[in-house]
Amino acid sequence: MVSGDLRFDGRVVIVTGAGAGLGRAYALLFGSRGASVVVNDLGGGRHGDGSSTKVADSVVQEIRRNGGKAVANYDNVLDGEKIVKTAIDEFGRIDVVVNNAGILRDKSFLKMTDSDWDIIHDVHLKGSMRTTRAAWPYFRKQNFGRVILTCSNSGLYGNFGQANYSAAKMGLVGLANTLSIEGKKNNIHTNVIVPTAGSRLTEDIVPPDFFEQLKPELIAPVVFWLSHEDCTENGSIIESAVGWTGKCRLVRSNGCLLRKSLNDGVTPEKVRENWSTVTDMSKAKTYDSIEEVTGELMSSLDQLRSNESSSSEKELTLETNYTYRDAILYALGVGATRQEPRDIQYLYENHENFSLMPTFYVSFGPIGCMSSDLLQDVIPGVQMNPTNILHGEQYIEIHKKLPTEGKIVSRFRVREILDKGKGAVILVQYETFNEVTNDKLTTNQMSLFIVGAGGFGGPRNSQHSVPCIDPPKRKPCASVTQKTSSDQAALYRLSGDYNPLHMDDNLASMAGYSEPILHGLCSLGFSARHVLQTFADGDPDSMKALKVRFAKPVIPGQTLRTDMWREGNRIHFQTTAVENNAKVLTGAYMDLKEVKTPSVRRNNCSASKNLECDAVFAQMGDYVNSHTDQVKKINGVFHYVIMDKGVPSADWTLDLKKGTVYKGKPEGKVDTTLTIEDKDMVQLALGKMNPQMAFMKGKLKIKGNIMLTQKLKSLLDANRPKL
Ligand code: NAI
């Protein structure tokens, strides 16, 4: 539970149209909580006529009377850069822009003139864009910014006589959608407020007793919170009135395919036939990103493709119910441990980020094949049994966030049978769906090598198989080593793969092994965790897809070393059983949505706040990560104590022995401690301050091995062009 008053001390807030109504209530609240407020208002009439300094001045006086800081600005929001200039000239910075100014020119559409249309678009849409655009470079530079855009129910739902206003207001929703994406990496959040308040804009529209209850003061705290640094909301539409507040989103129906296969066309008649399904909102869904929507279109294409494939393919449906206990058991089976802090999210159902290991669904493959006759008779004359089937390769692609418990339907089919001479390969494809929402969750492929089953004259290569890819021919960027337990197979099998090859000495020896071997999918889970820990800061939702080849067996108790190579968002990996130096997983890779380097991970133990130089260290983190061998030559651990106006405010560690950069104090021995002001660190990184001069002037204090700092020059020089 977070407590304490929310404050805006040191922050500068622009509120446009703050001379009256909602804007006035926002400005007064910001002013009363420590913000320096730019009270902008043109002071014109309700329809955009005239101007006056009176209204802005009176709000400024009111804020000052209450002990706050404020300055007036009388510019039109179309001159947004002048409003931002006022903030910079008067207060030296800008943190929040609340775009609130507004007028009305209501007319029925038939009577609406170009000037009625243009003036509304100018004030609401272009004015918000111009003011926000002027503040944007400051937000980016300081790695912080909050933008509020003001929409209206007339925009969201339409209102007679407000075609110009509704269109401009919905334009602001589109603006927020994109600004929230563009600003995200610089901690710039953009949200939309949809107020309903008693003001001069609504005085003759709503009944008087309702008008009384529509107090702007009931909405101001919502805008205040959305503008606060602690609020992580971004890209949302928030409605607020009479002390009620809620979030509003676009929804889309489940829709339906209007053709049966890729060769089929769509006709107007097919559209008519399916119209009730197209518009059926009973299974409507919301989407978080354009990628999610495109992903669904790709799934529709997959479905069309699979409808086209031969009807002789065998199919099977498997229903699985799993609970959090299964999720935890699987995680333990693939080596998740409380000793690794980023694994606890897989092991404790009450953890705030309790998650399913993203490789969990691969385990349905062997279950589906073994619990059914899917594989029987697919190669005439060949009997399948646990001793002649080897799991060759595995692929999984994730389409939606995987639930920690649920009812899942897996649809299996034998996609292809390849003749490899001595043996045969059966390519099994399975897709998993949430039984309740019908959302497609994953697509999986499993290649099974059937010993001694080749020579039947089938194709040698597959068109459908997702290929393995060898890692780059250079040293790995990172490696993680973890010992498996001698009971690892005994634990992993409880997730459903009860093949006796992994437990039974006799059966293992019949299959040619000296002892029962570990499930290939178990090693896959170990390495997937290692990759996520190293390149996604442990975030399971980062994984998009994973492919591995099971090259050699692992004996339970052996140590697995996952070597990793980063190539953009693709992490190639290869896993070795250390004891016999056998490459057990090869040609493997994981595709991530984005790489999150633990090098810029926050160390929660140290008190720290966001500073300008954070961006410098984040940049260095990326560089160190991709040039590990080079930076390790510097061979030093540097502790930066970052000061903010003379007060120690954050610690950053450059551990170039291990090749990591993180926010927080060093975990082991330190070679050199450097103390510097936040702003000076940025100047130093930009090459605008000479380190020797800074040292001489006492702006840079160095303790420990001073000579080692000479070697840091190359690191700073290499990063400069990107800063
Ligand atoms: P208001 O008329 O009381 O306040 C708007 C202020 O903006 C006025 O003081 C006006 O002088 C100023 N202004 C107008 N054009 C300007 C310009 N070009 N440059 C600088 N200042 C300018 O209106 P109210 O009700 O407080 O509305 C604030 C915002 O909330 C508007 O964007 C409005 O469209 C929106 N809104 C209000 C609703 C309500 O129920 N009051 C409902 C939905 C949206």
Side-chain angles (χ1 to χ4, degrees):
M1 183 80 178
V2 182
S3 59
D5 284 352
L6 290 165
R7 301 280 310 170
F8 266 76
D9 300 307
R11 297 264 183 228
V12 179
V13 180
I14 288 175
V15 182
T16 70
L22 286 157
R24 175 178 166 274
Y26 302 160
L28 291 176
L29 182 58
F30 280 116
S32 72
R33 297 286 186 117
S36 303
V37 189
V38 176
V39 176
N40 157 267
D41 207 300
L42 185 67
R46 183 190 184 199
H47 304 297
D49 45 308
S51 65
S52 144
T53 56
K54 231 164 84 191
V55 283
D57 285 346
S58 91
V59 173
V60 168
Q61 278 158 18
E62 206 172 340
I63 293 174
R64 288 186 184 158
R65 255 201 322 275
N66 295 333
K69 283 173 269 175
V71 64
N73 170 290
Y74 318 111
D75 288 306
N76 189 324
V77 280
L78 280 170
D79 292 324
E81 67 282 8
K82 291 189 187 158
I83 309 177
V84 172
K85 187 170 181 305
T86 303
I88 302 299
D89 289 350
E90 295 291 330
F91 301 120
R93 59 184 292 138
I94 176 66
D95 298 285
V96 179
V97 175
V98 181
N99 294 286
N100 164 80
I103 53 166
L104 289 178
R105 278 282 177 101
D106 294 359
K107 295 257 175 74
S108 69
F109 189 47
L110 198 65
K111 294 186 185 148
M112 190 161 288
T113 62
D114 275 358
S115 79
D116 294 329
W117 178 271
D118 290 343
I119 193 170
I120 289 295
H121 275 70
D122 277 353
V123 174
H124 291 273
L125 190 52
K126 198 185 264 184
S128 298
M129 180 280 285
R130 290 234 172 111
T131 312
T132 307
R133 191 177 62 186
W136 203 257
Y138 295 98
F139 290 168
R140 276 173 57 101
K141 204 163 158 222
Q142 71 202 13
N143 241 355
F144 176 81
R146 295 288 182 265
V147 178
I148 304 291
L149 297 166
T150 306
C151 182
S152 160
N153 279 328
S154 305
L156 293 179
Y157 309 106
N159 200 15
F160 191 92
Q162 294 199 311
N164 51 355
Y165 182 72
S166 326
K169 286 302 195 192
M170 278 314 265
L172 289 163
V173 172
L175 180 63
N177 286 341
T178 291
L179 292 191
S180 61
I181 294 171
E182 289 194 15
K184 195 172 160 196
K185 73 170 188 304
N186 289 106
N187 190 16
I188 307 170
H189 296 173
T190 305
N191 290 290
V192 175
I193 185 80
V194 186
T196 304
S199 76
R200 70 174 185 178
L201 292 191
T202 47
E203 62 194 348
D204 51 0
I205 300 174
V206 293
D209 45 344
F210 185 38
F211 186 88
E212 264 299 289
Q213 290 308 314
L214 296 174
K215 292 188 177 59
E217 290 72 21
L218 298 171
I219 298 167
V222 180
V223 167
F224 182 92
W225 166 241
L226 286 171
S227 308
H228 197 270
E229 62 189 65
D230 289 351
C231 178
T232 54
E233 201 67 40
N234 189 18
S236 297
I237 304 170
I238 305 295
E239 282 192 45
S240 188
V242 299
W244 171 92
T245 294
K247 181 165 165 169
C248 174
R249 288 177 78 173
L250 285 179
V251 292
R252 196 178 80 170
S253 77
N254 207 25
C256 76
L257 278 170
L258 298 170
R259 55 181 185 152
K260 294 223 154 34
S261 72
L262 285 179
N263 294 329
D264 235 4
V266 175
T267 61
E269 291 69 31
K270 283 188 189 167
V271 180
R272 178 180 58 191
E273 254 166 56
N274 288 290
W275 198 243
S276 58
T277 320
V278 168
T279 55
D280 173 8
M281 300 304 283
S282 61
K283 287 186 189 156
K285 285 182 277 188
T286 58
Y287 293 84
D288 284 330
S289 67
I290 198 164
E291 287 80 13
E292 240 183 274
V293 175
T294 324
E296 286 225 339
L297 292 181
M298 302 308 264
S299 306
S300 301
L301 274 180
D302 277 355
Q303 200 175 323
L304 287 170
R305 259 185 221 115
S306 56
N307 291 352
E308 221 172 26
S309 62
S310 99
S311 55
S312 64
E313 281 177 358
K314 259 192 164 181
E315 283 201 2
L316 143 90
T317 302
L318 174 81
E319 288 183 10
T320 317
N321 277 354
Y322 66 90
T323 69
Y324 72 92
R325 294 187 83 251
D326 302 293
I328 295 170
L329 193 59
Y330 173 84
L332 287 169
V334 297
T337 160
R338 278 183 48 78
Q339 282 158 19
E340 165 53 56
R342 283 164 296 187
D343 278 352
I344 295 172
Q345 60 183 331
Y346 303 128
L347 298 177
Y348 183 37
E349 71 283 7
N350 292 328
H351 188 280
E352 56 179 349
N353 295 329
F354 179 55
S355 302
L356 186 73
M357 267 286 296
T359 49
F360 180 80
Y361 285 25
V362 296
S363 65
F364 298 162
I367 302 172
C369 290
M370 287 195 335
S371 65
S372 74
D373 65 352
L374 184 77
L375 301 182
Q376 292 309 331
D377 303 325
V378 290
I379 310 175
V382 176
Q383 279 301 312
M384 306 289 167
N385 69 62
T387 61
N388 71 354
I389 305 181
L390 297 173
H391 197 159
E393 294 179 9
Q394 178 72 37
Y395 174 72
I396 176 170
E397 187 178 340
I398 297 177
H399 306 297
K400 278 248 162 193
K401 187 174 168 62
L402 305 181
T404 48
E405 42 191 9
K407 273 189 171 179
I408 304 301
V409 178
S410 310
R411 300 205 178 100
F412 286 77
R413 65 205 161 91
V414 173
R415 198 79 169 85
E416 241 172 352
I417 302 160
L418 305 173
D419 186 347
K420 295 285 186 187
K422 285 186 183 163
V425 167
I426 303 180
L427 188 66
V428 177
Q429 177 134 340
Y430 54 104
E431 285 162 345
T432 57
F433 298 83
N434 184 323
E435 198 182 89
V436 182
T437 61
N438 211 18
D439 282 334
K440 180 150 115 178
L441 300 172
T442 64
T443 299
N444 304 260
Q445 260 187 18
M446 188 167 59
S447 320
L448 300 172
F449 189 82
I450 317 299
V451 182
F456 57 88
R460 190 170 174 80
N461 295 310
S462 164
Q463 308 167 2
H464 300 296
S465 141
V466 178
C468 283
I469 303 174
D470 286 335
K473 292 195 179 2
R474 53 179 157 90
K475 279 193 182 170
C477 308
S479 300
V480 172
T481 303
Q482 189 182 2
K483 193 169 166 27
T484 65
S485 139
S486 54
D487 292 318
Q488 203 70 52
L491 182 59
Y492 180 80
R493 67 195 292 274
L494 298 180
S495 289
D497 184 349
Y498 293 107
N499 186 338
L501 182 65
H502 305 292
M503 283 304 277
D504 191 307
D505 288 341
N506 293 330
L507 217 109
S509 113
M510 272 166 67
Y513 300 110
S514 57
E515 54 191 298
I517 60 172
L518 191 58
H519 305 68
L521 289 180
C522 175
S523 309
L524 174 152
F526 269 76
S527 288
R529 282 180 32 256
H530 297 164
V531 175
L532 287 171
Q533 279 160 20
T534 313
F535 287 102
D537 208 5
D539 176 7
D541 294 337
S542 290
M543 181 175 132
K544 266 170 58 178
L546 173 140
K547 170 83 194 188
V548 304
R549 180 193 297 125
F550 304 107
K552 291 245 167 72
V554 175
I555 304 299
Q558 281 190 313
T559 306
L560 297 176
R561 188 189 69 236
T562 309
D563 295 325
M564 292 163 263
W565 293 259
R566 179 181 169 192
E567 297 257 288
N569 284 353
R570 172 163 287 177
I571 312 301
H572 295 270
F573 64 95
Q574 178 170 280
T575 308
T576 302
V578 175
E579 286 76 4
N580 56 350
N581 202 25
K583 293 186 174 58
V584 294
L585 300 182
T586 59
Y589 62 87
M590 182 188 288
D591 285 335
L592 294 171
K593 284 184 195 151
E594 64 173 321
V595 169
K596 296 181 199 159
T597 46
S599 48
V600 291
R601 192 174 77 232
R602 234 182 132 96
N603 178 343
N604 288 329
C605 306
S606 67
S608 58
K609 63 183 199 176
N610 291 338
L611 295 165
E612 282 182 34
C613 71
D614 288 353
V616 171
F617 286 103
Q619 178 61 49
M620 281 201 244
D622 278 350
Y623 180 84
V624 166
N625 225 44
S626 51
H627 297 76
T628 321
D629 291 344
Q630 250 161 293
V631 296
K632 277 189 178 167
K633 287 190 192 130
I634 299 176
N635 196 25
V637 178
F638 301 88
H639 174 197
Y640 279 85
V641 179
I642 307 295
M643 313 289 280
D644 190 15
K645 300 189 189 80
V647 180
S649 296
D651 300 278
W652 272 94
T653 298
L654 253 72
D655 185 341
L656 303 181
K657 288 186 175 158
K658 287 194 190 137
T660 56
V661 178
Y662 54 87
K663 198 167 191 180
K665 291 188 176 138
E667 281 149 14
K669 184 179 164 296
V670 181
D671 292 301
T672 315
T673 302
L674 302 97
T675 305
I676 187 166
E677 273 286 325
D678 180 30
K679 287 201 166 44
D680 292 341
M681 182 65 208
V682 175
Q683 294 300 307
L684 208 72
L686 291 172
K688 293 187 182 160
M689 181 184 270
N690 174 298
Q692 278 87 6
M693 289 304 288
F695 181 66
M696 303 286 283
K697 287 183 180 168
K699 289 189 165 189
L700 170 66
K701 299 195 177 77
I702 306 179
K703 273 204 270 179
N705 188 341
I706 293 189
M707 294 315 288
L708 209 52
T709 55
Q710 299 290 333
K711 295 195 190 168
L712 278 179
K713 192 174 172 308
S714 60
L715 186 62
L716 284 171
D717 288 350
N719 277 286
R720 191 153 305 134
K722 296 186 193 124
L723 289 169

